[in-house]
Each structure stands twice: as structure tokens, then as C-alpha cells.
Amino acid sequence: MKRFFLTLVSALVIAVPLGLSEIRTADAQGQVTQLRWATSAVGSAGHRAKVALMAMLNREMPDYSITVLPTPGALATVRGYATNQFDGYYGADIAFRELAGDTGRFRGFSQQMQREPVQSFWAYTMEVGLGVRAADRGNYSGWGDLAGRPVFTGPAPWDVRAQLERAMQTLEVGHEYVELDRGLTASSLAEGNIDAFIVYSTGEASPAPWVNEAMIAADVAVLNPSEAEIAKLRGAGLDVVEVDPDVFRGDVYVDKVLVVPFYYGFHVGPEVPAVDVFRMLTIIEAHAEELARSDAAFRQISRDMVDIQRRGVAASVDSVKVHPGLARYLREKGAWDSAWDDRIAGN
């Protein structure tokens, strides 16, 4: 009988790894395949979504038992997979770009890698923007007005911070980064220790729990980029999308929230057979509406599962190879680009 182990103890993250080759041998004898799938911290959007996803997969794939492992952030999951600590990871296109280029948060990491991550399932976009004190909103006409000011763009290792910093760097907004405990965001804003902080949503529908908590505890206005800034972001290859302000708690003082998206996924490597990844993707597609009811972050795959996979691959294929199970899924859906053929893992 399958079992679902939901692990919330961060200490388990440093458990001694068990190789998937050993697990597959046991599975051939009729046992269940164990997958240690790492995600972001408890209270994050990634952890919440992961719990919902794995509960469904454990029910629908009885030959697998998936353990959810929270870590300090998605970066830790990619590093952990690459160093054989985990079987699955929570990876974004911006992280894969840094990893491939040996830049940013992955500078020098290539020397430690024991295996390369691949992309296998894109779950949703995440969209990053900025919030300021509502009382000060009249002082700002765009993000550029935050130049030189103290800003909490997110926890240092997180992908949402990397994406927001990338956007602000594109706009040449030379702000002062302030590192905070997430629980102190509202009080730090109210007391003037920071003038702005990151606000972000998942799937254009679901803000991170800690962001909503900060917006409840402090009177926050969303600061949208100006029209000129939007044009500059798009000219640099960064999109800007509109999110309904009603997804955030309380009045955010704008008619539309303008944010910069990137792609996030829950991935496994080639150690998980292509047939199983293909089956996993078809199961997720079949249960996408159920997932969207459990977490609004999954509304995008509920609307168009194939499109999110295609867009995620297109955004990251130059940085990270494609799991053959995902390639088969897109081929069978008529959404595979033959230009990606040489980017399939194992080819």
C-alpha cells in the first residue's frame, strides 16, 4: 500500500542520500519507489503548492511515495539535487540561467556538481513587483524613484529576489538592499527601515502567504513601473503582465498590479524514467482542476497545461536540458519544437 510522508522537519534535508538506482532495484521486487522532493521554505508559495501537488501524485501514482522536504529556498533544492542530496527539486528559469552561465548565486558552483539538473514539469509563473507605504504612494511615479532607497527585494537566496533584482538592474535602479526576516517586513516598512519590499504572486492568482500577511499588517500600496520602464523591460526580454489587485488582501491602491513574470517548476532528473515522467505529466493534466481548487497557483495549468510546459521549455531550453518524458509529452501534444531536439537529456 502506498504511503504519503509529509516531512516538515528541515533537519531531514541533510539526511544521507539514497541513490535512485538502488530504489529502482527494490521497485522491481514489488516495492514502492521513494522520491525525496525538495521545495522552498514552509510558508512560501512553493511549499504550499508542492504539498498540494504531492498529495495528489501520491494518491494517483501508488508505485511512488514522495516525501516533501522544505529547504531555505529553491536555490538550495537545485544545489541539493546537483550534489545528490535530493531526488527532485524546485527550479526556476532564472536559476537555470545562472547555473548554466556560472554566474550570480551559482558562481563557482560547477566545481561541486555531481550531476546536471534537467527540466521536467513547469507548474506556473511567478510574478514579482514592489510595494511601498500607502501614505508615501504620491511620492513615486515608477520604480526608478526607489534609487538609493532601502528595499527588501526578498530573502537573499530566493529566485523571486533574483528576478526582481534583475528587473531593477535592467532599469538601473541602484537601491540599497536590506536583508530581513520575512516576519519583520511589515514593521520594517512602517518604521521606515525600508521604503519598499517585494510583492509577488504565483500563477497570476495567489500571493505568497507571507506577502499577504505583510500587506494585512501594514498599509501597503503597490508601486507599478512607469510606461517608459515597462517598455525598457520588454525591450530587454523581460515581460510585464497584469494581475488583478483583488488577489491581494486589502486595498493596494491601484486598478491593476503590473509585475514581471518568470517560470517555476517541480523537476526530477533522468534517474526517474521517461515513461514515469510522461505518466506524471498526464496525471497532472487530468487532475489540473483539482489542483487549482486546492491552490490557485495551479490555475494556469488548469487553463492550458500544454501551453505552460511549452512556454517554460522555450524560456529555459538554452540553459537546461529537457527530460525525455517532458519531450515525449510535448511531442504527443503537438507542441514540441524540433529546434529543441538536441536539448533532450541523454541525446
Side-chain angles (χ1 to χ4, degrees):
M1 180 179 296
K2 66 182 177 66
R3 293 185 179 180
F4 171 46
F5 299 97
L6 175 58
T7 305
L8 296 180
V9 182
S10 296
L12 288 179
V13 171
I14 60 173
V16 176
L18 178 60
L20 273 173
S21 59
E22 299 172 56
I23 296 172
R24 296 304 301 184
T25 301
D27 184 52
Q29 301 171 2
Q31 298 182 19
V32 173
T33 299
Q34 305 288 331
L35 280 184
R36 301 150 308 149
W37 210 322
T39 187
S40 192
V42 175
S44 68
H47 183 270
R48 181 183 59 195
K50 183 68 169 182
V51 170
L53 177 63
M54 294 308 113
M56 184 276 291
L57 287 177
N58 273 307
R59 185 189 72 224
E60 298 297 326
M61 297 182 71
D63 51 332
Y64 278 88
S65 180
I66 302 168
T67 304
V68 178
L69 297 177
T71 72
L75 178 74
T77 76
V78 178
R79 286 176 173 267
Y81 171 80
T83 53
N84 283 315
Q85 297 177 56
F86 311 125
D87 306 313
Y89 42 101
Y90 183 44
D93 61 331
I94 188 166
F96 291 144
R97 184 181 300 111
E98 291 179 341
L99 178 63
D102 196 28
T103 61
R105 298 162 298 162
F106 285 95
R107 186 179 301 278
F109 178 68
S110 60
Q111 299 175 8
Q112 305 172 41
M113 289 179 59
Q114 299 174 39
R115 56 183 175 178
E116 293 186 5
V118 303
Q119 52 181 305
S120 58
F121 166 58
W122 293 103
Y124 39 69
T125 60
M126 296 188 80
E127 308 87 25
V128 300
L130 287 161
V132 298
R133 284 181 295 276
D136 296 340
R137 65 187 185 278
N139 299 332
Y140 302 104
S141 60
W143 287 10
D145 292 327
L146 289 171
R149 295 177 179 269
V151 181
F152 175 47
T153 52
W158 284 21
D159 289 310
V160 286
R161 178 185 176 236
Q163 180 71 356
L164 181 55
E165 291 282 354
R166 180 187 177 201
M168 295 181 80
Q169 183 178 13
T170 299
L171 298 178
E172 300 178 339
V173 183
H175 59 286
E176 174 193 348
Y177 172 65
V178 177
E179 176 69 84
L180 291 176
D181 181 287
R182 286 170 290 148
L184 299 177
T185 302
S187 60
S188 296
L189 185 71
E191 294 166 5
N193 297 322
I194 57 172
D195 288 331
F197 73 98
I198 184 173
V199 297
Y200 64 96
S201 57
T202 305
E204 301 179 11
S206 180
W210 75 269
V211 170
N212 262 339
E213 290 168 8
M215 299 184 90
I216 292 172
D219 193 12
V220 177
V222 166
L223 176 60
N224 285 329
S226 68
E227 290 297 324
E229 289 171 338
I230 292 171
K232 188 171 183 177
L233 288 167
R234 287 177 171 160
L238 291 169
D239 197 8
V240 178
V241 298
E242 180 181 327
V243 171
D244 189 332
D246 290 341
V247 307
F248 295 92
R249 293 184 184 176
D251 187 359
V252 296
Y253 301 96
V254 292
D255 295 329
K256 54 186 178 182
V257 176
L258 300 177
V259 281
V260 180
F262 65 107
Y263 293 88
Y264 245 123
F266 298 108
H267 307 282
V268 291
E271 300 83 11
V272 177
V275 64
D276 289 346
V277 168
F278 174 80
R279 178 162 58 103
M280 185 180 299
L281 292 168
T282 57
I283 289 171
I284 291 171
E285 182 178 20
H287 293 271
E289 290 187 10
E290 172 192 335
L291 288 168
R293 288 193 298 269
S294 64
D295 191 327
F298 292 114
R299 288 179 185 174
Q300 288 173 310
I301 64 169
S302 177
R303 290 196 299 265
D304 198 333
M305 167 78 171
V306 176
D307 184 58
I308 287 294
Q309 304 316 303
R310 180 191 59 78
R311 289 162 55 195
V313 172
S316 57
V317 71
D318 291 336
S319 302
V320 62
K321 289 190 175 183
V322 183
H323 196 290
L326 174 56
R328 175 187 169 188
Y329 174 84
L330 287 175
R331 278 200 179 103
E332 295 200 7
K333 297 294 183 177
W336 180 257
D337 187 333
S338 60
W340 302 336
D341 286 349
D342 64 350
R343 297 297 293 165
I344 299 174
N347 281 7

